[in-house]
Amino acid sequence: TGRVFRDVTALKAADASDGPATELIHFAIHSPRSPYGIPRWVGTLLSVLGSRQMEEVNYLYFNNKSVPPLALLVSGGRLSDASVPRIERFIEENLKGKANFHKILILEADGGGTGDGGRAKIELRPLTDAQQQDALFQQYDQRNIDKVGSSFRLPPLLRGDGRDFNRSVAEAQLRFAEDQVFQPERDEFDFLLNRKVLADMG
């Protein structure tokens, strides 16, 4: 009826012949392992969990990036004793996080001799090749999307993927989904209502 009653007394006051619902119809996919059935996508459970882990890896990159974009190398000798702990501290404290995304790393060296041979040399070396340029596992994630979508037998167009489709391909996918997915689902739903709900109502 679309009306909401606070309790059974209010329901009886509105219609003495009516009563609270005591049953429900569960549209479950049967499984001997559970009386509640199983999800339709249970066969792709590992793909769903893998995509979740992939998203976390890409998200945490922004807070845990540890490769600087540029290194300032001061050579001509040996690395000073204080440089190693300073490098470790710099990576831990001054590289991670979005605010430190463009900081550079400075490496100092003690002079190894005297004269021209002992002069220090300064070199700027980019480290962008060692940095992650884009999100990881993109092909893996796309395969997982296809696996989960195929478990529902839905073509890519009806999953929101409209890339590289022309009109004829789109119409073919819509016809396939209507004939092979939606119409069988409607038939099953109508059969259950006709045999269970309407039959009991006379």
Side-chain angles (χ1 to χ4, degrees):
T1 61
R3 298 179 59 187
V4 178
F5 300 95
R6 298 179 59 183
D7 50 33
V8 178
T9 304
L11 175 63
K12 290 291 186 180
D15 186 351
S17 63
D18 202 353
T22 58
E23 296 179 280
L24 59 86
I25 300 176
H26 186 198
F27 293 88
I29 299 177
H30 174 72
S31 172
R33 303 175 61 180
S34 170
Y36 301 104
I38 56 175
R40 192 179 301 273
W41 48 268
V42 69
T44 59
L45 178 61
L46 293 180
S47 298
V48 174
L49 296 177
S51 291
R52 167 69 182 186
Q53 297 292 334
M54 179 272 299
E55 294 287 356
E56 290 185 2
V57 168
N58 287 320
Y59 172 74
L60 292 175
Y61 169 75
F62 293 99
N63 291 326
N64 295 282
K65 176 185 71 73
S66 58
V67 179
L70 187 70
L72 178 61
L73 306 181
V74 183
S75 58
R78 60 183 180 83
L79 201 64
S80 62
D81 295 336
S83 294
V84 175
R86 192 172 67 179
I87 292 172
E88 295 176 348
R89 187 169 61 252
F90 182 86
I91 291 176
E92 287 294 328
E93 299 176 0
N94 298 316
L95 277 184
K96 294 182 178 180
K98 294 178 289 185
N100 301 318
F101 216 81
H102 300 290
K103 285 193 174 181
I104 67 173
L105 176 62
I106 300 177
L107 302 179
E108 296 180 352
D110 294 333
T114 59
D116 293 341
R119 289 189 303 178
K121 182 175 64 174
I122 298 177
E123 179 184 1
L124 289 174
R125 180 171 298 176
L127 302 177
T128 52
D129 291 341
Q131 287 184 320
Q132 179 180 333
Q133 300 298 323
D134 200 357
L136 298 173
F137 313 112
Q138 291 300 290
Q139 293 184 355
Y140 170 74
D141 188 45
Q142 185 59 48
R143 287 291 300 129
N144 289 344
I145 292 174
D146 293 338
K147 290 177 184 177
V148 176
S150 64
S151 67
F152 290 90
R153 302 188 66 196
L154 289 176
L157 182 64
L158 296 180
R159 304 199 305 263
D161 185 359
R163 295 171 295 177
D164 302 327
F165 289 130
N166 54 36
R167 181 174 179 178
S168 61
V169 173
E171 290 178 348
Q173 291 194 10
L174 291 176
R175 284 196 303 270
F176 168 82
E178 176 62 29
D179 296 340
Q180 301 294 324
V181 182
F182 301 137
Q183 187 59 48
E185 288 285 342
R186 285 195 294 266
D187 291 341
E188 182 180 356
F189 179 81
D190 293 344
F191 177 83
L192 191 144
L193 287 184
N194 291 333
R195 291 300 181 93
K196 288 186 174 293
V197 179
L198 298 181
D200 293 341
M201 294 175 63

